[in-house]
Amino acid sequence: ALKDVMCYNLISYPAISLQGEHNKLEGEFLAKLYRRFSRIIVQYDNDIPGKEAANSLLIRHKLPIFIIPEETNCKDLSDYIAKEGLDKAKNLINNIIKEI
């Protein structure tokens, strides 16, 4: 959601939010994103609805996906920042994105 977009902004990554796992990333909107960004990576919450929504985008659009790792015991980036701090969060996301 918006708090995650703000967190990604803090670590210098542009981000958008669909305001929920059930909103669709389709058609012209997805085409506009591809015209604007060289890479689109999907990150949803580390919970069942988030994992299902991310997998749906992987299947439908072949978009790379990730979630905050289970071992962090965090649902999303804002939880991780609150728990571990901004520098560790930036390192975590940078490392994940390098592997994608």
Side-chain angles (χ1 to χ4, degrees):
L2 180 58
K3 69 178 180 167
D4 295 306
V5 170
M6 293 187 305
C7 289
Y8 276 99
N9 185 52
L10 286 173
I11 60 173
S12 301
Y13 282 103
I16 64 165
S17 173
L18 296 177
Q19 300 302 317
E21 291 86 2
H22 299 291
N23 292 320
K24 302 290 184 206
L25 183 58
E26 300 287 342
E28 183 57 28
F29 181 65
L30 185 57
K32 285 180 183 180
L33 290 175
Y34 275 118
R35 286 191 296 269
R36 186 169 175 197
F37 300 104
S38 60
R39 285 179 81 188
I40 298 171
I41 302 171
V42 175
Q43 188 263 308
Y44 276 113
D45 287 352
N46 187 357
D47 57 15
I48 292 171
K51 291 174 184 177
E52 290 173 351
N55 283 324
S56 174
L57 288 173
L58 172 65
I59 292 166
R60 184 175 303 134
H61 299 294
K62 309 293 187 255
L63 292 171
I65 64 169
F66 76 93
I67 60 169
I68 300 300
E70 297 276 345
E71 62 269 14
T72 66
N73 294 316
C74 295
K75 181 178 157 184
D76 56 28
L77 182 58
S78 63
D79 288 351
Y80 191 80
I81 290 172
K83 180 179 177 185
E84 299 291 340
L86 193 58
D87 289 336
K88 281 190 174 183
K90 186 171 186 170
N91 287 335
L92 174 73
I93 299 303
N94 285 338
N95 290 332
I96 290 171
I97 289 176
K98 284 179 190 174
E99 294 178 16
I100 295 176

